[in-house]
Amino acid sequence: MTTVLIVDDQPLQRLGFRMLLESQDDMTVLSEATNGSEAVRLAAELHPDVVLMDVRMPGLDGIEATRRITAVGDRTRVLILTTFDLDEYAYAGLRAGASGFLVKDAQPEDLLSGIRSVATGDAVVAPSLTRRLLDAYAQHLPRPDTPTDGLERPDARLTALTDREREILTVIGLGWTNTEIATRLHLAESTVKTHVGRILSKTGSRDRIQAVILAYDTRLVNPS
């Protein structure tokens, strides 16, 4: 059973989500929150599998609430809901630790599938859309510091990776799926999945979305 916390300041929106989720045999709504502060408190009390998080809310917004919820290191994962698929708030939400995002007018089956995917540790943003999102807001990424001796040093988050793992992290950042990686690098898909799992573990990335952000942060991938 997947447990969900609904966070939205619009009563009708919350009601719609609750009715949809409770129509499913494998989902249950633990509670609802009308703002970010309530979301943080309820997430700490109830430990839901997934927080369905609105962005624009009075008081503490969904971005800061996401940051506080994921910073605890609990199993709870956050699925951001936004009005537009290239909304900069969605980008900020991903960097705050969300496991993905969906637009509010997504089809019901897409929302349900997204919640199930997030609950099992997967990401719900298509790789191509992730790339487009990060390209659009790459100017928000901090510029790397230049060492005083002029010598470029590898990012500490990448030092534990093998050459193959670094290569795969790079193409994950480029938006390749596991199937594409397997085909283009002449690997078994099961081998690719193993590499991806090790990359997530070694870099401390919560999911594939965070691995893509890492690839951008460390300049393995540069904005197009």
Side-chain angles (χ1 to χ4, degrees):
M1 183 69 68
T2 298
T3 57
V4 182
L5 170 63
I6 298 172
V7 185
D8 199 296
D9 64 330
Q10 298 297 321
L12 286 178
Q13 190 80 67
R14 294 197 307 275
L15 176 61
F17 288 144
R18 177 180 280 276
M19 292 177 64
L20 174 63
L21 301 187
E22 293 190 338
S23 71
Q24 304 300 301
D25 293 336
D26 63 337
M27 292 187 187
T28 185
V29 177
L30 295 181
S31 188
E32 300 176 9
T34 61
N35 57 57
S37 297
E38 286 185 6
V40 174
R41 177 178 59 80
L42 288 172
E45 291 177 2
L46 303 175
H47 307 287
D49 296 315
V50 178
V51 176
L52 202 56
M53 180 76 75
D54 187 23
V55 173
R56 299 180 181 90
M57 295 179 292
L60 191 71
D61 65 21
I63 304 303
E64 182 57 30
T66 295
R67 184 175 292 109
R68 296 185 188 184
I69 290 171
T70 58
V72 174
D74 199 0
R75 62 183 177 84
T76 298
R77 294 177 179 273
V78 178
L79 177 57
I80 291 282
L81 292 174
T82 182
T83 306
F84 303 104
D85 67 356
L86 281 182
D87 189 338
E88 66 177 298
Y89 290 106
Y91 167 84
L94 295 179
R95 286 187 59 81
S99 294
F101 77 93
L102 291 172
V103 290
K104 280 193 172 182
D105 61 356
Q107 294 297 313
E109 58 269 22
D110 291 335
L111 177 59
L112 294 172
S113 175
I115 292 172
R116 292 185 179 105
S117 295
V118 167
T120 58
D122 210 343
V124 301
V125 184
S128 59
L129 189 55
T130 303
R131 176 69 192 273
R132 187 158 58 93
L133 175 71
L134 289 174
D135 277 352
Y137 294 100
Q139 67 268 21
H140 292 275
L141 292 170
R143 302 309 305 174
D145 295 330
T146 302
T148 55
D149 57 11
L151 298 176
E152 185 176 349
R153 296 180 176 83
D155 190 286
R157 291 170 291 181
L158 304 180
T159 54
L161 300 181
T162 65
D163 290 342
R164 174 63 89 181
E165 288 165 353
R166 187 185 294 247
E167 179 184 25
I168 290 177
L169 176 57
T170 300
V171 296
I172 287 174
L174 291 173
W176 293 16
T177 64
N178 284 355
T179 300
E180 290 172 332
I181 294 172
T183 300
R184 298 182 189 185
L185 299 185
H186 307 290
L187 298 170
E189 192 160 346
S190 59
T191 301
V192 174
K193 290 180 180 178
T194 298
H195 280 308
V196 172
R198 288 173 178 167
I199 290 167
L200 297 183
S201 177
K202 289 181 178 181
T203 61
S205 301
R206 288 170 58 87
D207 49 42
R208 198 182 187 96
I209 293 294
Q210 301 304 312
V212 172
I213 293 175
L214 174 65
Y216 273 72
D217 276 345
T218 57
R219 297 316 192 265
L220 285 178
V221 175
N222 292 312
S224 59

